[in-house]
Amino acid sequence: MLHIWGRSPLNGHVKISGAKNAALVIMAGALLCPQECRIRNVPSLADVRRMAEILMALGISVQQQDDSLTINAQHIGQSHAPYELVSQLRASFFVVGPLLARLGIARVPLPGGCAIGARPVDLHVRGLQAMGADVQIEHGIVQACVTGSSRRLQGARIYLDYPSVGATETLMMAATLAEGETIIENAAQEPEVVDLANFCRAMGARIRGAGTNTIVILGVPSLHTTDYSIIPDRVEAGTFLVAGAITRSEISLSPVIPDHLTAVLAKLREIGAEIVAESPNHLRILPMQTCLGTDIETLPYPGFPTDMQAQFMALLTLSDGDSVITETVFENRLRHVAELNRMGADVRVKGNHAIVRGVPFLSGAPVVATDLRASAALVLAGLAAEGKTTIQGLQHLDRGYENLESKLKQLGARIQRVVADAETVDLPVLPVSLS
Ligand code: EPZ
């Protein structure tokens, strides 16, 4: 449980960790390499530890030294990931593409839905089928194998009905070792997709067009070792910018890549924030005088990121005007509205729109987090609210933020984590080295 006493101004500098959504898929991408790879700037998160457990369950050695992981996928012991691990981490589905590319076979339980939506994988499956994989889904398990004499995936021209981040990443990884050329059209353009492409290229993959809506991959026989550093987390950076804005404080943060935050910076400036670039990878937000209302629609990159929607809603509940927030990416990602309203916000949901009427203040209250970014939104609301807020459901927060409360405490926030009996969630501890 988190206790937060609101309305204390923040100041100082916060270090931004490596990007969760790059680290998770790049860890799976290391399966493509028959030699040892080193990945640096890996955030210390529950989801990262779970992904490491998945890799170790496949017989891969994973060693951690501070924020670096050494992954050796020379021998992949087996081709199926255990249900009890996959059910705890949807991103474990990312191992399907690399397993098919390396072994020609993969058995991975269907990742369940989660709080924000059904999270289907039909675009991943259809793309792999286009590349010559036979994919059956029985009893909740995806069983895929490469047919044909060569037992290698075949390059294909694939159009994605939706620019799915995960499907783009799965198909790009599978294509690196396929026979011939693969073209992914209507591909996702997120920075994490580009980071994965750069990691694969560092291992010798032939990929061009990552970051645009058309990615071309020319398969190669095998990849080689690399030592790669993950990009900083744009969602963590955006979350701290909102923390500065909602508490009317001045804070600075680095490292950041401002180009990854174009939509977020534009919206912050539109509502009255002043943000200066102290250096190419260092941003500072100045104390906000007023906060105007605005409209936001979440879209695939470079549109406004769905992963920043809940945090921005918390900020807009205290604006001088009204705002309409439209969530177009996930079908159930407005569940933080009820909890924000318990803190005195005035938000009404109509379909996938949230109509936010600004109120002069929020008041602290006991609230429950429902998903990762909703929990961040409740922390932000607690920082601005009058009085004390207690937040339950921290397992969501710990999945995606590295030491959020200690970083906020360093900035002057009055925040305390109290481990209530019911909450002793024993996170998996990654063994430091595996023989
Ligand atoms: C990734 O999820 C991120 N997770 C999400 O971050 C992020 O919100 C999302 O991309 C969008 O940017 C990781 O990278 C681990 P999608 P992903 O496939 O790949 C539908 C966070 O908070 N879809 O782009 O699952 C899907 O239902 C997490 O860090 C299909 O219909 O996102 C959704 O409505 C949350 N069929 C939409 O596409 C498919 O086969 C976008 O999903 C795949 C997706």
Side-chain angles (χ1 to χ4, degrees):
M1 188 184 305
L2 268 189
H3 292 180
I4 305 174
W5 290 267
R7 301 185 70 74
S8 48
L10 307 180
N11 61 46
H13 176 269
V14 62
K15 180 188 176 304
I16 301 301
S17 303
K20 165 179 89 81
N21 291 347
L24 293 175
V25 69
I26 285 172
M27 287 170 74
L31 283 173
L32 293 166
C33 181
Q35 297 169 353
E36 192 170 83
C37 283
R38 177 176 285 260
I39 305 168
R40 298 174 189 277
N41 199 30
V42 178
S44 167
L45 302 171
D47 275 6
V48 167
R49 286 188 284 276
R50 289 192 176 113
M51 179 58 94
E53 283 200 335
I54 293 275
L55 297 182
M56 291 188 277
L58 295 172
I60 309 302
S61 99
V62 182
Q63 301 194 346
Q64 177 183 354
Q65 297 87 17
D66 303 324
D67 70 349
S68 292
L69 292 180
T70 303
I71 299 176
N72 188 327
Q74 184 180 6
H75 300 294
I76 301 180
Q78 61 168 330
S79 61
H80 90 274
Y83 174 74
E84 65 277 2
L85 294 177
V86 171
S87 62
Q88 294 185 53
L89 175 67
R90 300 195 64 270
S92 41
F93 196 73
F94 282 136
V95 303
V96 172
L99 285 175
L100 273 179
R102 281 288 302 281
L103 305 180
I105 185 168
R107 278 184 66 228
V108 179
L110 267 181
C114 67
I116 63 177
R119 312 292 292 274
V121 289
D122 56 308
L123 298 176
H124 302 238
V125 170
R126 282 182 13 217
L128 292 171
Q129 287 170 331
M131 296 174 74
D134 173 56
V135 185
Q136 305 295 330
I137 299 181
E138 287 158 4
H139 314 301
I141 294 193
V142 175
Q143 317 216 32
C145 66
V146 181
T147 52
S149 55
S150 71
R151 288 187 61 73
R152 268 181 84 187
L153 290 167
Q154 301 299 307
R157 188 181 192 98
I158 300 163
Y159 172 79
L160 292 177
D161 292 353
Y162 185 89
S164 153
V165 172
T168 302
E169 294 169 339
T170 287
L171 298 173
M172 187 165 70
M173 289 189 286
T176 58
L177 296 176
E179 209 152 33
E181 181 178 79
T182 297
I183 301 173
I184 305 173
E185 293 183 303
N186 198 26
Q189 305 177 46
E190 272 72 359
E192 293 75 26
V193 172
V194 177
D195 211 26
L196 172 65
N198 290 336
F199 169 69
C200 292
R201 287 153 53 105
M203 293 193 290
R206 308 276 299 279
I207 302 173
R208 63 176 199 278
T212 75
N213 60 9
T214 304
I215 304 177
V216 181
I217 306 105
L218 187 59
V220 294
S222 73
L223 299 179
H224 57 71
T225 182
T226 188
D227 183 328
Y228 190 79
S229 190
I230 304 272
I231 53 172
D233 195 316
R234 63 191 168 105
V235 181
E236 186 191 21
T239 303
F240 275 102
L241 284 170
V242 172
I246 205 169
T247 56
R248 308 290 189 265
S249 305
E250 174 168 343
I251 62 171
S252 74
L253 34 114
S254 70
V256 296
I257 301 175
D259 284 356
H260 292 172
L261 284 159
T262 305
V264 172
L265 294 174
K267 280 296 168 183
L268 280 168
R269 287 171 173 140
E270 191 181 308
I271 63 176
E274 192 181 344
I275 297 163
V276 296
E278 299 211 320
S279 75
N281 71 349
H282 194 139
L283 290 178
R284 174 180 295 275
I285 183 168
L286 304 179
M288 249 172 110
Q289 308 309 323
T290 59
C291 176
L292 306 173
T294 186
D295 294 345
I296 287 178
E297 181 179 25
T298 66
L299 288 167
Y301 195 90
F304 189 91
T306 175
D307 291 350
M308 280 299 303
Q309 178 259 108
Q311 298 92 310
F312 236 85
M313 185 186 293
L315 174 58
L316 291 173
T317 64
L318 287 166
S319 69
D320 294 344
D322 296 345
S323 308
V324 177
I325 296 176
T326 305
E327 171 59 56
T328 72
V329 177
F330 288 107
E331 69 268 25
N332 190 25
R333 204 174 198 178
L334 294 170
R335 298 181 57 186
H336 38 284
V337 167
E339 297 306 297
L340 290 172
N341 286 343
R342 285 169 47 75
M343 297 176 71
D346 177 356
V347 186
R348 280 178 301 118
V349 174
K350 291 211 176 311
N352 66 338
H353 305 280
I355 294 111
V356 183
R357 296 204 186 295
V359 292
F361 61 88
L362 294 177
S363 50
V367 289
V368 178
T370 51
D371 59 83
L372 168 55
R373 305 303 173 181
S375 54
L378 295 174
V379 171
L380 297 172
L383 293 174
E386 299 193 342
K388 178 179 170 184
T389 299
T390 55
I391 302 175
Q392 294 201 349
L394 298 191
Q395 70 276 16
H396 299 294
L397 197 69
D398 296 337
R399 286 188 45 212
Y401 288 92
E402 182 178 10
N403 307 324
L404 183 66
E405 73 265 11
S406 55
K407 291 186 178 182
L408 284 170
K409 209 179 279 184
Q410 277 168 5
L411 292 175
R414 288 181 295 159
I415 184 168
Q416 190 71 33
R417 180 183 286 243
V418 172
V419 181
D421 296 347
E423 268 197 338
T424 48
V425 179
D426 49 346
L427 294 176
V429 176
L430 188 60
V432 171
S433 70
L434 271 176
S435 56

